[in-house]
Amino acid sequence: MPLARLEQVAAFVDQNVRSDGSPNFTGLSIGGVALTVTAAELNQWDPSGKVVSAEADLVLTAALHANRIVMANKGDGIAFTLPEAIGSGDLYRIIIGTAIASGALTVTTADTTNADYCGSVLMVDLDAATTAFIAQTVQATGDDVFTMDGDTQGGAHVGLDWVSFLDIATDLWLVAGVSHVPTGSNPATPFSGT
């Protein structure tokens, strides 16, 4: 490596590493150009925090839950609240990590006066697994609650039942997912309004 390149690397290390060896994100620069990334933005790209376990009711936030997988690990019901829909493009994915045995998993919009869901969920009726039931909702229906009850609305199958919410516009969430309805039950829409 040429001496000039080694000097550049040494200068980069001097500028971006504290004396204790930890990274200095407050003054990070590359080639003399300062980067304006925040710690929260850097954490969004941290691969070690891509799966979050939820074992109690939870208010989802962009900093801690956007573009990550949230494992719902509470079998007697758990309530999630989405942040305000502002058109950020943030995606919130919730996967059943513990089968819903009683109560229900609910996901409600922060703004229950104005926000709506639009989209669809594929529901597999295990009585007739070759027949799919599509539950859908459209904007302006007032649907702002999504429910899995472990029965007619799915939520009893670990890893197989999931739902995602994409912030596509002010007061609008695009919903997609898959759930499995147990033998002996008939699929029912997971969408409702407050």
Side-chain angles (χ1 to χ4, degrees), residues 131-154:
T131 304
F133 175 81
I134 305 292
Q136 68 178 11
T137 186
V138 295
Q139 186 178 9
T141 59
D143 288 340
D144 55 11
V145 179
F146 178 89
T147 303
M148 284 187 184
D149 63 359
D151 190 31
T152 61
Q153 296 166 314

Side-chain angles (χ1 to χ4, degrees), residues 161-184:
D161 292 355
W162 61 272
V163 63
S164 65
F165 301 86
L166 180 62
D167 179 3
I168 60 171
T170 299
D171 294 327
L172 189 59
W173 291 95
L174 177 63
V175 183
V178 175
S179 64
H180 296 77
V181 176
T183 302

Side-chain angles (χ1 to χ4, degrees), residues 11-167:
F12 175 82
V13 170
D14 286 344
Q15 292 173 6
N16 300 301
V17 176
R18 295 185 181 108
S19 61
D20 66 359
S22 64
N24 177 14
F25 292 125
T26 59
L28 185 61
S29 66
I30 297 176
V33 177
L35 299 179
T36 59
V37 66
T38 67
E41 291 167 334
L42 286 172
N43 288 337
Q44 290 271 345
W45 298 102
D46 176 12
S48 66
K50 288 297 183 185
V51 178
V52 177
S53 178
E55 298 168 6
D57 294 352
L58 186 61
V59 175
L60 301 171
T61 67
L64 298 176
H65 307 105
N67 308 310
R68 288 177 167 78
I69 295 169
V70 177
M71 295 295 288
N73 286 315
K74 190 167 184 291
D76 60 349
I78 186 168
F80 295 99
T81 303
L82 291 166
E84 286 282 341
I86 57 172
S88 67
D90 285 341
L91 179 67
Y92 297 83
R93 286 171 277 198
I94 299 171
I95 299 175
I96 297 295
T98 300
I100 302 296
S102 63
L105 175 150
T106 60
V107 185
T108 306
T109 61
D111 181 350
T112 57
T113 302
N114 300 305
D116 280 313
Y117 290 148
C118 67
S120 58
V121 174
L122 171 66
M123 302 181 79
V124 179
D125 185 351
L126 296 179
D127 284 322
T130 58
T131 304
F133 175 81
I134 305 292
Q136 68 178 11
T137 186
V138 295
Q139 186 178 9
T141 59
D143 288 340
D144 55 11
V145 179
F146 178 89
T147 303
M148 284 187 184
D149 63 359
D151 190 31
T152 61
Q153 296 166 314
H157 293 84
V158 174
L160 293 176
D161 292 355
W162 61 272
V163 63
S164 65
F165 301 86
L166 180 62
D167 179 3

